[in-house]
């Protein structure tokens, strides 16, 4: 048989993980709205429970619609497997869970989604885990923060909220030197603009809530494994390399090789943490991904135009968009993110907090929403909303000071987005 040609991104986003339904011929992947699945016989059931055979038992663990989505995202990210879960925040816990024991830490970028800063600086402490925040532009500082108890390095590709780009190959080099997995949150770039695994990441996490679904309908998350990390090279990852009591002493890495992390995510993570994606959500996200490349092209094109327009506006102090030639990150963007700098960025007004609040309140087409990656243009004043739980120092470190607005540029007619911003800025300054 002739060697099959690898399909392009646009084909994979439509066909990856999904064949016509074997039971009915349905061309679109059906929503398998079923909690349980009938075993062929007792032997079949036993094989499934012992992880000797892959199949469907119960939808907390696996579901055919969710499986199709998992395979599609893994394909687009060049991963070996993926586990979907109920939200992006669930995905972050699901990524760390197999790696971390009580007393372990993760070295994380100080530029992260506000909710992730909160999850990492407060909530994970209850598990006996610690996050160490470091400026990832300084790769020496990453290495310096690593100690014997570090189990992972974590960053975002295009970092929230300012659209700051991470130099993933440089960070991956450090992770490789210290022998730790690099986890990249690729939510804001999507696999269309950035392929973290190709740049050296071990794991990729997503909030599928955002661009992958693309229309603000369902929350979801995903963890993709590259299959490239040797979990048994040290004794640091006992959940993957040592016997698992709940499976008669099975060793995940020894038994499943490259699939160890993914199977652990399903067989232990979803089984016991229960942060499962439902098949309806998987269906919406599959539909969204079918048009990902088209939407991202328009998102990026519109973002570039809006950023250029804002940059020229007299009331605007600064536009933090790496697609602008004036950006200190422009060269990095051209090199690592050549298809575009994303559609999420922040800008600061010359006037402070009150002007930003008035601006947001006077917008008509653009919505004031704590979300991003929607077809609709969304704006948020981070200091009074998503980042209000943070201290002022943390706000500034995350690029969310009082005069800063974050915009997620949608795919509407770009002249309409600009006209709306123009009238709202005018009213805010009155
Ligand atoms: C939204 C978001 C999250 C959290 O995802 P949820 O689906 O809201 O739980 C994590 N990281 C980034 C970059 C995000 O934008």
């Amino acid at each position: 048989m002739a060697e099959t040609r690898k399909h392009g991104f646009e084909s994979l986003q439509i066909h990856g993980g999904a064949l016509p339904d074997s039971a009915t011929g349905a061309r679109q992947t059906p929503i398998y709205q079923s909690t349980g699945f009938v075993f062929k016989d007792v032997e079949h059931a036993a094989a499934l429970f012992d992880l000797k055979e892959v199949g469907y038992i119960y939808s907390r663990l696996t579901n055919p619609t969710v499986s199709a989505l998992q395979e599609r995202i893994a394909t687009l990210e060049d991963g070996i497997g993926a586990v979907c879960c109920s939200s992006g925040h669930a995905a972050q816990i699901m990524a760390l869970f197999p790696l971390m024991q009580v007393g372990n830490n993760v070295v994380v970028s100080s530029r992260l989604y506000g909710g992730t800063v909160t999850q990492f600086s407060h909530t994970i402490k209850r598990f006996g885990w610690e996050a160490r925040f470091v400026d990832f532009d300084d790769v020496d500082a990453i290495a310096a923060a690593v100690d014997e108890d570090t189990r992972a390095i974590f960053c975002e590709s295009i970092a929230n909220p300012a659209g700051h780009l991470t130099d993933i190959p440089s960070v991956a080099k450090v992770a490789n030197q210290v022998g730790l997995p690099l986890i990249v949150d690729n939510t804001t770039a999507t696999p269309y603009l950035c392929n973290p695994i190709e740049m050296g990441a071990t794991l990729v996490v997503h909030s599928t809530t955002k661009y992958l679904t693309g229309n603000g309908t369902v929350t979801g998350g995903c963890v993709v494994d590259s299959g490239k990390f040797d979990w048994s090279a040290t004794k640091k990852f006992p959940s993957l390399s040592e016997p698992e009591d709940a499976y008669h002493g099975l060793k995940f890495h020894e038994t499943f090789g490259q699939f160890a992390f993914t199977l652990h995510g399903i067989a232990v993570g979803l089984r016991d943490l229960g942060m499962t994606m439902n098949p309806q959500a998987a269906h919406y996200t599959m539909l969204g991904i079918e048009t990902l490349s088209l939407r991202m092209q328009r998102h990026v094109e519109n973002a570039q135009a809006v950023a250029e327009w804002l940059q020229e506006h007299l009331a605007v102090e600064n536009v933090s968009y790496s697609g602008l030639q004036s950006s200190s990150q422009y060269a990095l963007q051209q090199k690592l993110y050549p298809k575009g700098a994303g559609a999420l960025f922040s800008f600061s007004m010359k006037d402070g907090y009150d002007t930003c609040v008035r601006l947001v309140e006077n917008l008509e087409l653009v919505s004031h929403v704590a979300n991003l990656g929607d077809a609709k243009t969304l704006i948020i004043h981070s200091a009074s909303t998503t980042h209000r739980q943070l201290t002022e120092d943390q706000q500034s470190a995350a690029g969310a000071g009082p005069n800063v607005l974050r915009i997620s540029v949608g795919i509407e007619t770009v002249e309409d987005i600009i006209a709306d911003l123009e009238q709202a800025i005018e009213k805010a300054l009155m």
Side-chain angles (χ1 to χ4, degrees), residues 21-243:
D21 183 47
S22 55
T24 62
R27 188 64 194 86
Q28 185 56 278
T29 302
I31 304 171
Y32 282 93
Q33 199 70 59
S34 181
T35 315
F37 299 86
V38 179
F39 304 120
K40 289 178 211 151
D41 50 35
V42 172
E43 205 180 320
H44 175 227
L48 292 176
F49 277 102
D50 285 346
L51 301 180
K52 293 200 169 112
E53 202 175 307
V54 179
Y56 302 104
I57 299 175
Y58 183 65
S59 281
R60 175 162 24 86
L61 304 168
T62 46
N63 172 282
T65 315
V66 178
S67 293
L69 173 63
Q70 287 171 167
E71 199 178 325
R72 180 166 301 175
I73 298 175
T75 303
L76 295 178
E77 287 286 6
D78 277 337
I80 193 134
V83 182
C84 281
C85 44
S86 53
S87 70
H89 272 1
Q92 289 161 197
I93 298 298
M94 289 282 294
L96 293 175
F97 179 66
L99 313 180
M100 307 274 281
Q101 308 289 325
V102 171
N104 287 158
N105 68 72
V106 52
V107 173
V108 308
S109 169
S110 50
R111 292 186 193 84
L112 293 175
Y113 177 71
T116 305
V117 176
T118 308
Q119 186 190 54
F120 283 179
S121 53
H122 298 285
T123 305
I124 66 168
K125 281 190 190 157
R126 309 255 200 110
F127 306 153
W129 304 347
E130 183 206 346
R132 298 182 172 174
F133 291 86
V134 170
D135 180 352
F136 270 41
D137 281 350
D138 180 358
V139 285
D140 294 336
I142 303 172
V146 169
D147 68 13
E148 275 182 13
D149 294 321
T150 308
R151 292 295 177 269
I153 293 173
F154 185 102
C155 63
E156 293 175 1
S157 47
I158 299 182
N160 227 311
H164 190 89
L165 305 182
T166 302
D167 183 349
I168 298 173
S170 300
V171 176
K173 208 167 133 194
V174 175
N176 200 31
Q177 278 161 1
V178 296
L180 291 172
L182 170 63
I183 308 171
V184 175
D185 181 337
N186 201 28
T187 299
T188 48
T190 81
Y192 182 70
L193 298 179
C194 174
N195 187 326
I197 289 175
E198 200 175 283
M199 296 183 193
T202 307
L203 303 169
V204 175
V205 295
H206 274 284
S207 166
T208 60
T209 314
K210 313 294 169 49
Y211 293 102
L212 292 187
T213 304
N215 41 39
T217 46
V218 288
T219 63
C222 187
V223 187
V224 183
D225 180 24
S226 64
K228 290 180 180 158
F229 197 86
D230 182 358
W231 305 110
S232 305
T234 65
K235 296 230 172 278
K236 286 185 175 171
F237 304 102
S239 297
L240 296 165
S241 64
E242 299 299 311

